[in-house]
Amino acid sequence: MFSRSALSRGAQLAKQVAHRRGYAAAAASSASSTPSSFAYETSEVSGVKVATRDSHGPTTKLAVVAKGGTRYQPAPGLVVGLEEFAFKNTDKRSALRIVREAELLGGQLIAYHTREALVLEASFLREDIPYFTELLAEVISQTKYTTYEFHEDVERVLKVKQAKLANDVSALALDSAHSVAFHTGLGASLYPTPSTPLKSYLNEYSIADYAGAVYAKSNIALVGDGATTTALHKWTEQFFKSVPASPSSAVALNSKATTYYGGEQRTPHPAGNSLVIAFPGSSFGQFKPEVAVLAALLGGQPNVKWSPGFTLLSKAAASAPGVVASGTNLAYSDAGLLTIQVTGAAASVRKAGEEAVKAIKSISEGTVSKEDLTKAIAKAKFDALEASQSGVSTLLSAGSGIIHTGKPFQIAETVQSIDGVTAEKLKTTAKSLIDGKATVAAVGDLNVLPYAEELGLKV
């Protein structure tokens, strides 16, 4: 039992917190809630689109973001092959030398791809920006696409990743959902499956041709986080001169605009069960704050330890023990996919899927409480601001924004628009999704996992 003095101290503390928050609110009314350091400065240096922001820390992240993700490849496997050739032998340096020099400077080098972008990234001590700027320019303009590296490294790593993906039911379900929703382009798999016939498409020559189409000044952005504009501009001008201004290959990127189709796909699999329910979402080019708030309201995982969470999917998961459920808006340049993914035992996935659809229908009927809406708006703002702090996603979103829309994705505009979401707007958005065509992908025990029709969805 708490003593009276303890309760008194608690009351005093609550008053102090409220008083401080009053000061904070007053300060927020006279200044932007988004720090100016979150914004990128953009310019063009020697034909290269450059974005910088300086967090004034001791380390720097520098990335080349290229318009060359899986949606743009003319044949399967080319993006993976180009990714695996990153930081291999160049005209000036061997792969071994690149590794040794980066380690001596304490740097980290990674390459990865998304559905829209291929990213080569270096993280290093601030004073080493000249070396790593030169290295990134060298990799995209002077890599040797050798036969022995293709067979000994690229093919070997590709097979390892394919084997890993083959048993990842969550990734397979998400890939299936994209395929059903968009068909080609954004519907292409992030990694070719083991059954994909790659021999007629993938070799060192086809990868070199794809590199010539992707690695051109017109298709890339150089994004620096933790670097001064003066320094990055200086070294970009010096080292990126060798990068071709336009594609140097006859290969044409797949530039077809995205169309949402919707539909259903079911895949039997013995490794587990995953269900994806998806709807048209919010894109980089046309941000929809209502979708961001809807994704936050759906949620899935609690934000506070020992709490079941306020989100609708966390409540749905509570009715089906052992499942993991999450709601996310996957944003692309000209389309978006609002996804609900449930993974776990087949019967539990079915139960949670049914509850998830009921949750969206309840939103479309306007039954969301004012308190839950307030929490969802705050969570959507927090998620957006947190994602804009220093990290991999920041470089990717800034670079993707530049190469697709001409400017980085600026968080200040996002936060302001999220504040304007009302219960009526959220209701209208949810109703349009439920009344439209959904995308449903089921992977696992198809004897138990539900059809879209059983969930009450139109496909």
Side-chain angles (χ1 to χ4, degrees):
M1 187 160 180
F2 294 106
S3 67
R4 184 169 296 177
S5 60
L7 292 174
S8 177
R9 287 195 301 273
Q12 291 174 3
L13 179 60
K15 287 182 179 180
Q16 291 173 7
V17 171
H19 195 51
R20 289 170 185 167
R21 292 196 70 174
Y23 280 126
S29 65
S30 60
S32 171
S33 62
T34 305
S36 59
S37 60
F38 276 21
Y40 281 91
E41 295 181 28
T42 58
S43 58
E44 189 168 301
V45 181
S46 297
V48 179
K49 296 175 282 291
V50 179
T52 57
R53 73 176 186 184
D54 192 359
S55 54
H56 302 285
T59 61
T60 298
K61 288 184 179 293
L62 187 63
V64 171
V65 181
K67 189 177 180 180
T70 50
R71 74 170 290 179
Y72 297 110
Q73 62 184 5
L78 294 178
V79 178
V80 178
L82 192 52
E83 173 189 324
E84 297 304 330
F85 261 113
F87 307 112
K88 295 292 192 296
N89 293 335
T90 69
D91 291 339
K92 291 184 178 180
R93 292 174 244 230
S94 67
L96 178 60
R97 178 181 169 185
I98 291 174
V99 171
R100 291 283 177 84
E101 289 177 346
E103 289 178 340
L104 285 170
L105 295 174
Q108 298 177 352
L109 303 172
I110 61 171
Y112 61 94
H113 73 275
T114 66
R115 297 185 189 278
E116 291 197 302
L118 173 63
V119 184
L120 310 183
E121 182 182 316
S123 303
F124 48 88
L125 297 175
R126 188 183 183 95
E127 59 268 22
D128 295 324
I129 189 171
Y131 172 83
F132 288 97
T133 306
E134 180 184 15
L135 178 60
L136 289 176
E138 185 180 316
V139 168
I140 67 173
S141 62
Q142 301 179 46
T143 292
K144 295 179 179 180
Y145 298 93
T146 60
T147 302
Y148 79 90
E149 283 180 306
F150 173 76
H151 291 299
E152 293 179 8
D153 292 330
V154 176
E155 277 190 324
R156 177 181 58 83
V157 172
L158 175 57
K159 289 177 182 178
V160 170
K161 291 183 176 180
Q162 284 180 318
K164 181 180 179 182
L165 177 66
N167 290 309
D168 187 343
V169 292
S170 296
L172 291 173
L174 200 56
D175 259 352
S176 294
H178 278 81
S179 178
V180 170
F182 303 120
H183 294 184
T184 58
L186 288 176
S189 175
L190 272 177
Y191 283 95
T193 62
S195 59
T196 303
L198 292 178
K199 285 190 176 181
S200 57
Y201 300 115
L202 192 63
N203 54 55
E204 63 273 28
Y205 304 108
S206 62
I207 293 173
D209 287 339
Y210 189 61
V214 171
Y215 291 149
K217 290 180 180 178
S218 57
N219 285 334
I220 67 170
L222 183 63
V223 185
D225 191 349
T228 64
T229 301
T230 302
L232 187 54
H233 285 191
K234 174 184 177 181
W235 301 116
T236 301
E237 186 173 9
Q238 179 173 336
F239 296 124
F240 274 73
K241 290 179 180 178
S242 60
V243 178
S246 58
S248 58
S249 168
V251 173
L253 300 182
N254 179 16
S255 56
K256 182 182 176 182
T258 300
T259 300
Y260 176 83
Y261 297 94
E264 183 173 21
Q265 183 167 313
R266 297 168 63 81
T267 307
H269 206 290
N273 304 277
S274 188
L275 177 70
V276 173
I277 302 167
F279 305 92
S282 174
S283 68
F284 281 128
Q286 189 177 3
F287 179 73
K288 300 175 183 177
E290 297 83 8
V291 173
V293 175
L294 183 57
L297 182 59
L298 290 170
Q301 300 301 313
N303 293 339
V304 181
K305 192 175 183 180
W306 310 124
S307 166
F310 77 94
T311 64
L312 302 182
L313 288 184
S314 64
K315 296 174 182 177
S319 66
V323 303
V324 176
S326 63
T328 309
N329 177 65
L330 303 174
Y332 304 105
S333 61
D334 60 350
L337 199 63
L338 177 63
T339 63
I340 296 171
Q341 183 157 22
V342 186
T343 304
S348 296
V349 168
R350 182 187 181 98
K351 175 66 175 176
E354 293 170 347
E355 293 299 321
V357 174
K358 289 179 183 177
I360 299 178
K361 289 183 177 179
S362 71
I363 298 172
S364 69
E365 294 166 358
T367 59
V368 177
S369 69
K370 183 178 180 181
E371 181 180 350
D372 282 349
L373 177 60
T374 301
K375 290 177 180 179
I377 290 174
K379 185 177 185 299
K381 289 168 62 178
F382 174 82
D383 290 343
L385 289 167
E386 185 185 39
S388 295
Q389 297 184 70
S390 181
V392 171
S393 61
T394 309
L395 299 174
L396 174 61
S397 62
S400 294
I402 291 172
I403 60 178
H404 289 105
T405 67
K407 63 178 183 178
F409 186 60
Q410 299 289 16
I411 192 61
E413 302 170 7
T414 302
V415 172
Q416 291 171 4
S417 61
I418 289 174
D419 276 327
V421 175
T422 63
E424 187 61 32
K425 289 180 179 179
L426 194 65
K427 174 183 174 180
T428 302
T429 299
K431 182 169 176 55
S432 68
L433 297 181
I434 285 294
D435 291 343
K437 287 191 69 174
T439 293
V440 179
V443 177
D445 185 355
L446 302 186
N447 187 52
V448 179
L449 296 179
Y451 283 89
E453 184 182 6
E454 294 175 313
L455 295 172
L457 296 173
K458 301 173 185 177
V459 292

